[in-house]
Amino acid sequence: MCGIVGAVAQRDVSPVLLEGLKRLEYRGYDSAGLAVMSHDKELQRLRVQGKVNELFKEHQKSPLNGTTGIAHTRWATHGKPNVKNAHPHICHDKVALVHNGIIENHEELRKEQMASGFEFNSETDTEVVVNAIYEALESRLDLLHAVFNTTKKLQGAYALGVINNTDPGRLIAVKKGSPLVIGVGIGEYFIASDVFALLPVTQKFIFLEDGDIADITRDKLTIYDSELSIVERSIKLTELNADMADKAGYRHYMLKEIFSQPNAIEKSLEHRIKDGKIITSEFGQNADSIFSRVKSVKIAACGTSYHAGLIAAYWMEEIAHISCHVEIASEYRYRKSVVIDDTLFVSISQSGETADTLAALHLAKESNFLSTLAICNVAESSLTRDSELVFLTHAGPEIGVASTKAFTTQLVALFLMVIAIAKHNGLSKEYEKMMIKQVKSLSGRVSQLLHHKDEIEIMAKDFADKHHALFLGRGSFLPVAMEGALKLKEISYIHAEAYAAGELKHGPLALVDDDMPIVAVAPNNNLLEKLKSNLQEVKARGGKLYLFADKESDVESTEGVYIINLNVDYDFMAPILHTIPLQLLAYYVAVIKGADIDQPRNLAKSVTVE
Ligand code: F6R
C-alpha cells in the first residue's frame, strides 16, 4: 500500500507526479504529497490530508516547478492520516524521501536518533529513514552511499525514492520487499510503485529486483544489487496502455469492471484451449510433467482470492479426486504445517504483490512442495517472478478496490488448472470436453445475468438502512456467500457474515429477526432441498429472505421471501454465475448509501504490508 512516483527530466515534473499519484490512488488515499527540487536547488513540498484531488487543488494555488521530484499517496500504518504524517518527509531542508512498506525496527532507530539530537515531526516509521540518510550525508557520503548505508540499518519491507539538494538532478530508488519499477523515457527516467502510474509517459519499464538500488539522473541510470555491484536489468515493453484506466462511461470503476467480466473471461480463455482440450503449457513449460505427479494441492491467498481458492478446492476434489487444502496466507505463513509428498503449492493474487501471499510462497519454496504455481493478474509481479509455474488471468487492470473481474477470471484459471491436473488422474476425454464446453459458455451466460441489474437495484433498497446481513450457501456456494458478504461490507459498510446454511441452528439463528436481511444462494443442486429446510427455519423466525435461484430451483416469492430467478442451468460454472448478482447487490446498496465505492474507507487495493 502507499504509492510512490518519482521523476528526473528536462521538463517540469509536477504534472507527471500528480497524474502518477492519481493513477496510484487505489494503493492508498488518506493523504498525499510531493516534493520538487526548485531551479535554485531548494526542496519545495506540498502535503494534504485526503485524496490526490486535494493535492491537485493545493498545487493549483501554489504550483511547484522543477525537473526532479518525488510524490506519494498514503495508506496509513504508523500514525494518523494527517498532514504531518504525509510523505514526502524532509530532514533539515536537505533530503526528501517517499516510502512504501514498513520499517520494523523504527522504534529502536528513533530512540538512537533522539539520543543523538534528532527532533521528530511525525509519528511515522519513515522519518527515521530520512534522518539516517541525512546523517550519512553529513558524514560526507554521496547520496547513493548514504542511502545504501542506511538500508543496511533497516529491517522490514520498503520501496524508497530519495532526492537531495546537493545533487539536485539525482534520484535514488531502492526496492526491498515492496514493488518498484523504473520507467524509461527519452532523456528522462521515472520511478513508480507500478507501471500503471507511468503509462502516460512511457511503455518501457525495468522491474527492479529485491535489494536493488538505482542511481538515476536525467541521462544515466545505474542499477546496483544489494552488495553495490553494478547489475543489468532488462527493459520490457508493456502491453498496457494509458486509456485502460478510464471509466468508459460507467459511474464507477467497480461497475465497469463488473460489466467487463464477459470480456475478461474470454480473454482468460484465449489461446488456452485447442480442439476441446486445455493447452497445459500455458501454465509453464514443465507443467505437464509436474501436473502428472500431483498427489495433493495446497492453495494460499488472501481476501477475495482466498474465496476463489475455496471454490477451486471443491472442484479439485470432485473432478480430479485430489485432496486440496486452502489457507489464508497470513495464517499459513506463521503456522507449522506438514507438507505431504508431491503437493503442488498454488498462490492466487490479483496484484501479485500481496505481502502475506508472497510470504506464504517464499515459505513454500523452502518447504518440500513439488512445485509452485501462481495464478495472477499482473504479469511482471513479485508473485509471478518467484513462482515456477504461472498462469495469468488476463482480466486487464482492476482499479476498483473491491475485486470483481479478478475473482471470476481467477475461477476460470483455477477450473482450467483442475482439468489439467485431473487429466493425469483418470479424467476421461469426454468429461474434459464436456467441462471445456461449460467454461466456454461462461462469458455468454455472465452477459445474460447482467440483465438482472434493474431487479437487483430495486432489491438493494431494502438493505440500505440495515446494519447487518447474513449470507447463506452450501457446498461450493458457501465461498460464494462469503464473497457476497465481503463485497457488501467493504463497499457499503454493512456488517455482513456468511454461514454454511446447515450451521445456522448452531448459533447464528439467534440473530435472526425482521431487521436482519438474509441472502441465500440457491442453485439447483443436490443440496437445494436441504437449503430450503434451512430457509424455513429463518422464515419461521420472521427473517426476511432474499434468494438467488436457478432455473429449476422451484422457489417462489411469498410474504417475506424475495426471489430473483437467475434463469441459469446448473453445472460446474454455477459458483461463478452466482457471484455476479451478489457483486451487483453490494454495488447498488453502496450507491444508495452514497459510499465511496471505488475507494472505500480504510482500504487499499494492493496490500503490500503485513
Ligand atoms: C476484496 C479484495 C481483497 C483482495 C485481497 C488480496 O474485494 O479485493 O480482499 O482480494 O487483498 O489481494 P490480491 O488478490 O491482490 O492478492
Side-chain angles (χ1 to χ4, degrees), residues 134-148:
Y134 172 81
E135 211 171 17
L137 287 169
E138 287 297 285
S139 68
R140 297 183 170 275
L141 289 180
D142 76 322
L143 188 60
L144 173 70
H145 290 89
V147 174
F148 176 74

mmCIF file of all heavy atoms in Angstrom, residues 134-148:
data_model
loop_
_atom_site.group_PDB
_atom_site.id
_atom_site.type_symbol
_atom_site.label_atom_id
_atom_site.label_comp_id
_atom_site.label_asym_id
_atom_site.label_seq_id
_atom_site.Cartn_x
_atom_site.Cartn_y
_atom_site.Cartn_z
ATOM 1 N N TYR A 134 20.217 11.650 6.044
ATOM 2 C CA TYR A 134 20.786 12.982 6.323
ATOM 3 C C TYR A 134 22.097 12.846 7.109
ATOM 4 O O TYR A 134 23.108 13.467 6.768
ATOM 5 C CB TYR A 134 19.769 13.811 7.117
ATOM 6 C CG TYR A 134 20.333 15.115 7.622
ATOM 7 C CD1 TYR A 134 20.418 16.220 6.781
ATOM 8 C CD2 TYR A 134 20.805 15.221 8.932
ATOM 9 C CE1 TYR A 134 20.966 17.419 7.240
ATOM 10 C CE2 TYR A 134 21.344 16.410 9.396
ATOM 11 C CZ TYR A 134 21.425 17.509 8.547
ATOM 12 O OH TYR A 134 21.962 18.672 8.997
ATOM 13 N N GLU A 135 22.038 11.989 8.133
ATOM 14 C CA GLU A 135 23.223 11.790 8.974
ATOM 15 C C GLU A 135 24.403 11.284 8.132
ATOM 16 O O GLU A 135 25.533 11.755 8.259
ATOM 17 C CB GLU A 135 22.886 10.750 10.051
ATOM 18 C CG GLU A 135 23.609 10.951 11.344
ATOM 19 C CD GLU A 135 23.065 10.035 12.442
ATOM 20 O OE1 GLU A 135 22.374 9.040 12.144
ATOM 21 O OE2 GLU A 135 23.359 10.326 13.614
ATOM 22 N N ALA A 136 24.100 10.353 7.231
ATOM 23 C CA ALA A 136 25.152 9.796 6.375
ATOM 24 C C ALA A 136 25.685 10.859 5.411
ATOM 25 O O ALA A 136 26.890 10.930 5.143
ATOM 26 C CB ALA A 136 24.603 8.598 5.611
ATOM 27 N N LEU A 137 24.785 11.711 4.901
ATOM 28 C CA LEU A 137 25.233 12.791 4.001
ATOM 29 C C LEU A 137 26.136 13.768 4.750
ATOM 30 O O LEU A 137 27.138 14.251 4.208
ATOM 31 C CB LEU A 137 24.022 13.551 3.440
ATOM 32 C CG LEU A 137 23.184 12.842 2.378
ATOM 33 C CD1 LEU A 137 21.884 13.605 2.117
ATOM 34 C CD2 LEU A 137 23.961 12.688 1.075
ATOM 35 N N GLU A 138 25.778 14.022 6.003
ATOM 36 C CA GLU A 138 26.587 14.937 6.825
ATOM 37 C C GLU A 138 27.984 14.373 7.062
ATOM 38 O O GLU A 138 28.937 15.112 7.266
ATOM 39 C CB GLU A 138 25.910 15.177 8.182
ATOM 40 C CG GLU A 138 24.689 16.067 8.086
ATOM 41 C CD GLU A 138 25.022 17.467 7.610
ATOM 42 O OE1 GLU A 138 25.568 18.246 8.398
ATOM 43 O OE2 GLU A 138 24.750 17.785 6.423
ATOM 44 N N SER A 139 28.089 13.032 7.037
ATOM 45 C CA SER A 139 29.429 12.455 7.224
ATOM 46 C C SER A 139 30.163 12.320 5.893
ATOM 47 O O SER A 139 31.025 11.467 5.710
ATOM 48 C CB SER A 139 29.336 11.111 7.956
ATOM 49 O OG SER A 139 28.714 10.172 7.116
ATOM 50 N N ARG A 140 29.724 13.127 4.929
ATOM 51 C CA ARG A 140 30.386 13.323 3.642
ATOM 52 C C ARG A 140 30.215 12.181 2.644
ATOM 53 O O ARG A 140 30.972 12.048 1.689
ATOM 54 C CB ARG A 140 31.894 13.622 3.821
ATOM 55 C CG ARG A 140 32.128 14.908 4.568
ATOM 56 C CD ARG A 140 33.578 15.246 4.681
ATOM 57 N NE ARG A 140 33.730 16.594 5.198
ATOM 58 C CZ ARG A 140 33.701 17.683 4.458
ATOM 59 N NH1 ARG A 140 33.564 17.595 3.162
ATOM 60 N NH2 ARG A 140 33.827 18.872 5.018
ATOM 61 N N LEU A 141 29.222 11.352 2.860
ATOM 62 C CA LEU A 141 28.926 10.349 1.835
ATOM 63 C C LEU A 141 28.104 11.009 0.731
ATOM 64 O O LEU A 141 27.373 11.968 0.988
ATOM 65 C CB LEU A 141 28.114 9.200 2.432
ATOM 66 C CG LEU A 141 28.841 8.268 3.394
ATOM 67 C CD1 LEU A 141 27.904 7.195 3.901
ATOM 68 C CD2 LEU A 141 30.040 7.626 2.699
ATOM 69 N N ASP A 142 28.208 10.483 -0.495
ATOM 70 C CA ASP A 142 27.317 11.000 -1.534
ATOM 71 C C ASP A 142 25.959 10.315 -1.380
ATOM 72 O O ASP A 142 25.803 9.383 -0.570
ATOM 73 C CB ASP A 142 27.906 10.780 -2.926
ATOM 74 C CG ASP A 142 27.762 9.347 -3.355
ATOM 75 O OD1 ASP A 142 27.922 8.461 -2.483
ATOM 76 O OD2 ASP A 142 27.447 9.095 -4.523
ATOM 77 N N LEU A 143 24.961 10.771 -2.164
ATOM 78 C CA LEU A 143 23.585 10.314 -1.932
ATOM 79 C C LEU A 143 23.462 8.794 -2.081
ATOM 80 O O LEU A 143 22.825 8.127 -1.270
ATOM 81 C CB LEU A 143 22.619 11.031 -2.899
ATOM 82 C CG LEU A 143 21.132 10.801 -2.639
ATOM 83 C CD1 LEU A 143 20.720 11.271 -1.255
ATOM 84 C CD2 LEU A 143 20.267 11.489 -3.696
ATOM 85 N N LEU A 144 24.098 8.239 -3.114
ATOM 86 C CA LEU A 144 23.995 6.790 -3.321
ATOM 87 C C LEU A 144 24.498 6.031 -2.097
ATOM 88 O O LEU A 144 23.818 5.140 -1.577
ATOM 89 C CB LEU A 144 24.800 6.373 -4.566
ATOM 90 C CG LEU A 144 24.896 4.865 -4.777
ATOM 91 C CD1 LEU A 144 23.541 4.279 -5.175
ATOM 92 C CD2 LEU A 144 25.951 4.509 -5.829
ATOM 93 N N HIS A 145 25.689 6.382 -1.622
ATOM 94 C CA HIS A 145 26.271 5.650 -0.490
ATOM 95 C C HIS A 145 25.532 5.948 0.809
ATOM 96 O O HIS A 145 25.418 5.080 1.675
ATOM 97 C CB HIS A 145 27.779 5.939 -0.382
ATOM 98 C CG HIS A 145 28.531 5.307 -1.514
ATOM 99 N ND1 HIS A 145 28.736 5.964 -2.700
ATOM 100 C CD2 HIS A 145 29.059 4.069 -1.659
ATOM 101 C CE1 HIS A 145 29.372 5.160 -3.534
ATOM 102 N NE2 HIS A 145 29.589 3.995 -2.919
ATOM 103 N N ALA A 146 25.013 7.157 0.910
ATOM 104 C CA ALA A 146 24.231 7.484 2.112
ATOM 105 C C ALA A 146 22.977 6.600 2.174
ATOM 106 O O ALA A 146 22.622 6.074 3.229
ATOM 107 C CB ALA A 146 23.842 8.961 2.089
ATOM 108 N N VAL A 147 22.335 6.439 1.030
ATOM 109 C CA VAL A 147 21.122 5.600 1.014
ATOM 110 C C VAL A 147 21.510 4.135 1.242
ATOM 111 O O VAL A 147 20.889 3.426 2.037
ATOM 112 C CB VAL A 147 20.351 5.768 -0.324
ATOM 113 C CG1 VAL A 147 19.185 4.793 -0.402
ATOM 114 C CG2 VAL A 147 19.842 7.199 -0.465
ATOM 115 N N PHE A 148 22.563 3.710 0.556
ATOM 116 C CA PHE A 148 22.992 2.308 0.693
ATOM 117 C C PHE A 148 23.313 1.987 2.159
ATOM 118 O O PHE A 148 22.838 0.989 2.707
ATOM 119 C CB PHE A 148 24.213 2.060 -0.201
ATOM 120 C CG PHE A 148 24.776 0.670 -0.046
ATOM 121 C CD1 PHE A 148 24.102 -0.424 -0.590
ATOM 122 C CD2 PHE A 148 25.956 0.446 0.651
ATOM 123 C CE1 PHE A 148 24.606 -1.709 -0.440
ATOM 124 C CE2 PHE A 148 26.459 -0.838 0.804
ATOM 125 C CZ PHE A 148 25.783 -1.912 0.261
#
